[in-house]
Amino acid sequence: MGGEAGGEGEVEWLRREAAALGVAVSQEQARTLARFTDLLQEASRRVNLTAIRGREEIWVKHHLDSLTVARLVPAQQQGRAVDVGSGAGFPGIPVAVVRPLLCVGLVESVRKKASFLRQVAQALGLSNVQVVEERAEVLGHQPHWREQARWVFLRAVGSLAVSLELGAPFAQPGGYVVVMKGPGVQAEWEQGLAHAQRGGLELAERLELVLPGGLKRVILVWQRRGPLPAAWPRRPGRWGRP
């Protein structure tokens, strides 16, 4: 990656790498993500938001990684998307930047992270972002959120089975639950598949990608095709073996 921090070199790098993934990112959108990187690095000096703090790592392991799921969403897609366990804002904020017609809910129960997300949304002028400081196990039972999203994204929120149970309640019938995993997902596959069948989910697509630096990603796209169990997701404190 060339160019100084926040400079045009990294902006053009992102646009080029995103295009290779099949995602068109405008110069303005890439600059917005560069500003997001600035905010993340500034905040991470005071608060532990992410273990990834080097600028190049942020661009690859956060921004570009997030765009692997943005590519699934049609450019003119409207409606609601939910990022479950958003953390420092990935993949939700990059998705919101490059898919501005989506209303993206960032679900994050940790106060310091939710506070950071609200600051970022305001600083970047992301009127299509809503930050919800709540546990997904609670929010998934609330009528305003349950079965309301066209797209649900989960990244690093537990095993495949746990991710599906947390994500499926937000997806409307016919909607998609997108789980971002690494190569180790194969060890979780049998249990995850059985859980998907219980939750009325059908695997629509499996993508295996290698990002710059050799980062391997497995993107699992599940579609809501059947009834949702009323007990999903289990309430906090009731999680055992799925």
Side-chain angles (χ1 to χ4, degrees), residues 229-240:
W232 279 27
R234 272 165 279 189
R235 299 289 184 172
R238 297 185 181 179
W239 285 85

Side-chain angles (χ1 to χ4, degrees), residues 135-185:
R135 292 181 67 105
E137 298 98 320
V138 174
L139 201 65
H141 285 281
Q142 295 182 7
H144 184 63
W145 289 91
R146 190 174 179 85
E147 299 187 84
Q148 298 298 311
R150 180 66 175 170
W151 295 91
V152 182
F153 303 106
L154 301 102
R155 178 181 187 248
V157 292
S159 69
L160 176 57
V162 168
S163 294
L164 293 174
E165 183 168 337
L166 286 174
F170 293 96
Q172 62 189 209
Y176 297 94
V177 179
V178 182
V179 183
M180 304 170 70
K181 301 291 287 186
V185 71

Side-chain angles (χ1 to χ4, degrees), residues 41 44-58 62:
Q41 288 192 303
S44 293
R45 297 188 185 102
R46 305 184 303 273
V47 181
N48 183 21
L49 296 170
T50 171
I52 299 170
R53 298 189 179 187
R55 198 166 183 95
E56 288 197 18
E57 275 195 307
I58 290 172
H62 279 331

Side-chain angles (χ1 to χ4, degrees), residues 20-21 64-65 67-69 71 181 183 206-212 214-219:
L21 287 175
L64 199 60
D65 192 33
L67 295 180
T68 63
V69 298
R71 63 179 283 183
K181 301 291 287 186
R206 175 180 175 135
L207 301 170
E208 298 191 18
L209 305 168
V210 180
L211 299 181
L215 178 64
K216 295 181 179 180
R217 261 297 182 208
V218 179
I219 310 298

Side-chain angles (χ1 to χ4, degrees), residues 36-63 65-66 85-91 108 110 112-114 116-117 120 155-156 217:
F36 178 24
T37 303
D38 296 338
L39 295 171
L40 178 58
Q41 288 192 303
E42 290 167 9
S44 293
R45 297 188 185 102
R46 305 184 303 273
V47 181
N48 183 21
L49 296 170
T50 171
I52 299 170
R53 298 189 179 187
R55 198 166 183 95
E56 288 197 18
E57 275 195 307
I58 290 172
W59 280 102
V60 175
K61 296 182 179 180
H62 279 331
H63 291 305
D65 192 33
S66 297
S86 190
F90 303 98
E108 177 51 57
V110 178
K112 64 182 180 181
K113 295 181 179 180
F116 169 71
L117 295 175
V120 168
R155 178 181 187 248
R217 261 297 182 208

Side-chain angles (χ1 to χ4, degrees), residues 118-136:
R118 283 191 286 267
Q119 292 169 14
V120 168
Q122 182 176 12
L124 301 183
L126 298 177
S127 59
N128 62 328
V129 166
Q130 179 181 3
V131 180
V132 187
E133 188 179 327
E134 183 58 274
R135 292 181 67 105

